[in-house]
Amino acid sequence: MAYEQEKQVAMQATLAAAKLCQRVRQDIPPAMEKSDKSPVTVADYGAQSLVCKALGEAFPNDPIVGEEDATALRSPEYEASRQKVVSYVREIEANASETEILNWIDRGNGQVAPRFWTLDPIDGTKGFLRQDQYAIALALIEDGEVKVGVMVCPALSLTSDDPGTLFVAVRGEGSQMMAITEGELKPIRVCGVEDVSKLRVVESVEASHGNPEQQQKLLDAVGITTPSLHMDSQAKYGVVAAGDAALYLRLPSADRPDYRENIWDHAAGAIVVEEAGGRVSDMYGQPLDFSRDVKLRETRGVIVSNGIIHDRVLEALKR
Ligand SMILES: Nc1ncnc2c1ncn2[C@@H]1O[C@H](COP(=O)(O)O)[C@@H](OP(=O)(O)O)[C@H]1O
Ligand SMILES: [Mg+2]
């Protein structure tokens, strides 16, 4: 099977990171603030450290484009947070030194290349802090195409009562899902459409990450009457891929017209939905361009669907 080693390493690495995140969340961490004012926690750093360590050992030549870097954490001001990161990582990597842990985080400073990984160690940090949904999202991109994607959603239960769901996809080989406690991968498929009005839709919890008014107008135009489910992180891609929702809408925020989506916020989710039979595009129907930059500069809005409903949504958007 193609990319078998990449798939296995990515799954093991994100599961270890998820274990660290669950452990940190028991302690309800205070958030630090990044220079762009977005929140970050010791779990974001710890998760990035573990995933980059595993990738660095298995694929030493692959750059990693990760969301975090250790610059702030290395400063005297963040001594207490640094010690916490080190202590949580050592629960999993007992012999790791502080220098190694910080260097693993900084392996995520790579650039877009012909072959690279992109990592969001905690996608949905606000959800993580609220005790809601979040995901560890990792994708391998070659020549601009996502080849492997893994998302671990530690708080999501779809097939089991126990929380924790992993999604994985390899290009050309379909998408699979497993309840973390069960550990058995099963193929997943997007849902069909019987009655458009009853389709389930997922949107962000954070209103400022999309455009709730325009999204509601669009749903009215398409004729969907079921109230949307609000969920943080790329878990939204997961529920579309698993057939639990038909549509995920993310229109550009009216307050932040200059905002551009990050590559790590979409790469893993996109392949999981596409390989489950769904479709992912921007609001003009263009595919997301993962070949150029950390920011999806040409992408405006993201529409994720079961495929069947996609053109109808794009048509309504045009109107
Ligand atoms: N104005 C904005 N528009 C779209 N996405 C935004 C945004 N501001 C922040 N985000 C992104 O939204 C992500 C969370 O997505 P969601 O709303 O689906 O939970 C954040 O990821 P992080 O939590 O990894 O920082 C962040 O990258
Ligand atoms: Mg994110």
Side-chain angles (χ1 to χ4, degrees), residues 161-172:
D161 290 342
D162 298 325
T165 304
L166 176 146
F167 300 92
V168 59
V170 173
R171 184 67 64 193

Side-chain angles (χ1 to χ4, degrees), residues 6 23 45 87 134 163 230 238 240 272:
E6 285 85 349
R23 183 60 195 81
Y45 291 120
S87 127
Y134 67 102
H230 292 269
V240 172
V272 168

Side-chain angles (χ1 to χ4, degrees), residues 23 26 65-66 100 115 124 153 155 194 214 234 300 315:
R23 183 60 195 81
Q26 288 168 357
V65 177
E100 281 175 319
R115 171 178 156 121
C153 305
E194 279 155 27
Q214 289 298 319
Q234 286 169 74
R300 298 290 182 280
E315 280 303 317

Side-chain angles (χ1 to χ4, degrees), residues 49-182:
S49 183
L50 289 173
V51 174
C52 290
K53 175 195 185 278
L55 290 181
E57 283 172 2
F59 308 107
N61 298 325
D62 288 355
I64 306 166
V65 177
E67 177 166 11
E68 310 304 339
D69 75 73
T71 311
L73 214 51
R74 288 178 195 274
S75 71
E77 199 190 336
Y78 290 116
E79 165 74 27
S81 297
R82 185 165 67 242
Q83 291 316 322
K84 277 193 200 149
V85 172
V86 167
S87 127
Y88 283 119
V89 171
R90 279 194 189 142
E91 289 185 19
I92 292 166
E93 289 293 338
N95 299 321
S97 70
E98 178 180 308
T99 306
E100 281 175 319
I101 291 168
L102 294 175
N103 289 344
W104 293 335
I105 296 171
D106 278 338
R107 270 191 191 153
N109 283 336
Q111 301 291 314
V112 171
R115 171 178 156 121
F116 69 101
W117 295 85
T118 187
L119 168 68
D120 196 339
I122 296 193
D123 179 35
T125 305
K126 289 176 183 167
F128 177 76
L129 287 165
R130 262 193 264 105
Q131 305 284 330
D132 285 339
Q133 292 300 328
Y134 67 102
I136 295 97
L138 177 64
L140 173 69
I141 298 172
E142 277 183 1
D143 301 322
E145 187 177 53
V146 188
K147 298 293 189 186
V148 179
V150 179
M151 285 188 295
V152 179
C153 305
L156 185 68
S157 41
L158 290 183
T159 57
S160 149
D161 290 342
D162 298 325
T165 304
L166 176 146
F167 300 92
V168 59
V170 173
R171 184 67 64 193
E173 299 193 356
S175 290
Q176 296 170 301
M177 170 174 93
M178 71 179 196
I180 292 173
T181 47
E182 288 168 6

Side-chain angles (χ1 to χ4, degrees), residues 120 123-124 133-139 146 149-153 156 158 165-169 171 175-177 188-191 200-204 209 229-251 261-283 286-290 296 299-307 310:
D120 196 339
D123 179 35
Q133 292 300 328
Y134 67 102
I136 295 97
L138 177 64
V146 188
V150 179
M151 285 188 295
V152 179
C153 305
L156 185 68
L158 290 183
T165 304
L166 176 146
F167 300 92
V168 59
R171 184 67 64 193
S175 290
Q176 296 170 301
M177 170 174 93
I188 50 173
R189 207 59 214 159
V190 291
C191 64
R200 186 183 274 180
V201 180
V202 274
E203 300 175 61
S204 284
H209 294 176
L229 207 66
H230 292 269
M231 192 180 271
D232 298 286
S233 84
Q234 286 169 74
K236 293 187 282 298
Y237 280 97
V239 297
V240 172
D244 278 33
L247 183 64
Y248 161 24
L249 290 181
R250 189 182 190 90
L251 294 180
E261 299 285 346
N262 299 306
I263 201 165
W264 53 73
D265 283 330
H266 297 281
I271 186 173
V272 168
V273 165
E274 287 173 354
E275 284 296 319
R279 188 169 157 199
V280 180
S281 77
D282 73 0
M283 59 193 281
Q286 296 301 313
L288 309 193
D289 181 359
F290 296 112
L296 302 177
T299 298
R300 298 290 182 280
V302 180
I303 310 289
V304 179
S305 81
N306 63 356
H310 211 94

